[in-house]
Every structure is written in structure tokens, then in C-alpha cells.
Amino acid sequence: MIRGLTDAARRDWLRLARTESVGPVTFDELIRRFGEPSLALAALPDLARRGGRAQAPRIPTEREALSELAAGEALGARLICACEPDFPQALAALDPPPPLLWARGRIELLDRPAVALVGARVASAAGQRFARGLAAELGAAGLVVVSGMARGIDGAAHQGALPTGTVAVLGGGVDDVYPPEHGELYAQIADQGCVVAEHPPGRQAQARDFPRRNRIISGLSQAVVVVEAELRSGSLITARLAGEQGREVLAVPGSPLDPRARGANDLIRQGAAICEGVDDVLRALEGFRGFGEPASGYAPPPSATQSDPRLVEALARQLSPTPIGRDELVRATGASAGEVAAALIELALAGRAELMPGGLVASG
């Protein structure tokens, strides 16, 4: 694993993470393949061309990287790269981890045992009271409470855990205070807890940012508790991601007459543990197996495979908006796993494929 980044390597790491068409999976593949961000940056134009792109993806300049670093430092925030020793262990174990995080506040909270509390934005008064009380009890039990600083359940959870430690994961930059009425809450979390974000300072969250934000919420936590959620809810995405990551999933049961209870009740129907109080959460955590070793070692392979243009086009024809596993693509093409991986990087950089966690691929 790369450790002790030089200033130049940190800038290159940031530039690669911010490059057009480079998401967490593509970033991870590039670092595995080339070993150093500078080598990956140098190879990007040719990789994109071989994937069928006429123009190279836009790579931020060194000046732009320095500007982002200065903006973060002006906020009192710190950039933590996934290859560094103080990157949160829970996130480092994801496959793949987010390439980097901006963190503002008590960064040491990111490596303490944590539970996520999430739920409806338009939450009932009873739901908010339950979330606030449960967060306070979890904090008293030594657990950090993670949430997304949204209206409703998220805000109540942060309020309950402020005295003991809470982490807010934002969809935009580390200074993206939303909703506006949470300005005071944001300031309290930045002072007493920790605010983290994957995007650059100054970035306002867009709808497409929240699934990645939710993946970090669940990834930082040993368990996710859904307090209130409708059937089509971002909280259910967080719960699904938690299950895929090997985290515990709990849900607070509610009245069948309340639409805000349907998502949580459905989770219980699917096998989530019932949460009626802190004892249920602590009992669920007794079976938590830990995060394991980090999934990515960030070490270069023995050789960097160059793809066959015919394989690139064959894979492009196999892709559709419906995600498919890489193993299926290996079987369909008859190519080796390494050859398929190399070709998929090129398609991703050309904007013709989307590489997703869990080894899934869809058309770009």
C-alpha cells in the first residue's frame, strides 16, 4: 500500500480522483494497474482513445488541485487519501473504497465503532423523538452515530448524539450546508463531531451524488438503523448497501396506516432485525464479524495488460443499462479476467461503460 504521500503524489491522487469518467471503481482499477497516480494520469488519454473516445477525458490541472487543497485548508478541513494510514478502516475495507475524503472536525471519530441512523425527511414527531433518544443512548454506550444531516430523522439523530460524537456525511462538499435551517447544527457537528464529504469544497449536492453519500454512511458503520422510510426512499438504498457491505441492518416497526412506516416494515419482512431500543442494536452488534482486511492493496500487478480492440468492441456490445457481473462477461467473451478488466477500464474512460461496486458493469 502507498503510504506517506509526497505533496506531488497527493496532488496527482486528487487529480486522478477528479478526472472525468473516473469513479471509485475505475480509480481503484487504475491504481491497481499502474501503481502510482502519476503513471495512471499519463496513460489516461491513450486508454480513453483505445476505448473509442475521440477526445481524452478532462484531467484537472495541478493548479486546480492546489486550489481545491487550499479551499479545504481554509475551512479547517483535511484531505485523507484512501492509501493513507489514517483513512477510516471501515471505508478502507470496502471494495472499492472511496478514493479520498474531506474531513472537518474530530477526525478520530471516523475510526470509532459507529451506527448509522437514517430515515424520512418528512418524519413524524414520534419518529424524530425516537431517533434523538436512540442516538443519545447509543452515544452513552460508546458508539458514534453517523447520518446524512438531512431534515427529519437525520437531523434528530445528530442532535441526540452531539454530546458523545456524531459524523455527518454530506452529498456535496464538506461546506455544503443543506438544508439551510441546519446551519447551526452543521456548526455544532463541525465543532463537536466530524463532517465528511467525498466532493470538493464548494460543491453543492445533486441528486446523483446521494447514492455515493449513502454508501459512505453505511460503510463507516457497523450497523444501519432505519427509523422511518417510505417504500421508495434513499434510506432503503442505504440499508441495501449496508447488507451488501456485511453490516447489520435494523428497522423500527411502525403503524401500517403510516406510509412512512412501509419501508421499515418491508425491511423487517425481508429479514432486518427489529429495533425497539438500544438493546436491540447492541444485541445485533454482538454478531458483527468486523471489517476484515482492506479490499484494495494499491500495489501494481506484475504487468499492465493492454487490451485487444476487438475485445473492447465485443464487450461494448454485451453491455446494457442493466448491470451485469464481470464473470458473465468473461464467460461471454472467452477472454481472461485480466483482459476483460483492462478493456473495461478503457470503455469506462471513454464514457461507454459504468463500473460499479460488486463487480457489476453497465453501459455508460
Side-chain angles (χ1 to χ4, degrees), residues 236-260:
L236 299 189
I237 295 175
T238 307
R240 175 179 59 79
L241 291 168
E244 293 173 356
Q245 295 164 351
R247 278 51 171 169
E248 303 294 332
V249 179
L250 300 93
V252 178
S255 167
L257 301 177
D258 188 344
R260 291 169 294 201

Side-chain angles (χ1 to χ4, degrees), residues 41-60:
L41 287 169
L44 278 176
D46 186 52
L47 291 172
R49 179 188 58 78
R50 295 209 303 263
R53 184 170 180 151
Q55 294 183 333
R58 187 183 183 282
I59 301 172

Side-chain angles (χ1 to χ4, degrees), residues 31 49 127 139 194 196 258 340 360:
I31 293 296
R49 179 188 58 78
C194 188
V196 299
D258 188 344
V340 168
L360 298 177

Side-chain angles (χ1 to χ4, degrees), residues 157-227:
H158 288 308
Q159 291 167 354
L162 268 175
T164 53
T166 188
V167 174
V169 185
L170 307 187
V174 74
D175 55 345
D176 182 26
V177 181
Y178 186 85
E181 62 265 28
H182 278 178
E184 182 179 350
L185 177 62
Y186 171 91
Q188 291 174 318
I189 297 172
D191 180 53
Q192 299 173 242
C194 188
V195 179
V196 299
E198 194 175 0
H199 290 296
R203 162 75 177 266
Q204 290 189 332
Q206 302 174 37
R208 67 175 183 269
D209 297 324
F210 288 103
R212 282 175 67 162
R213 186 278 306 259
N214 294 346
R215 185 171 184 260
I216 294 175
I217 289 175
S218 58
L220 283 169
S221 310
Q222 295 182 0
V224 169
V225 181
V226 177
V227 179

Side-chain angles (χ1 to χ4, degrees), residues 253-275:
S255 167
L257 301 177
D258 188 344
R260 291 169 294 201
R262 289 177 183 166
N265 289 346
D266 192 55
L267 283 175
I268 294 169
R269 192 175 298 113
Q270 295 176 42
I274 292 177
C275 177

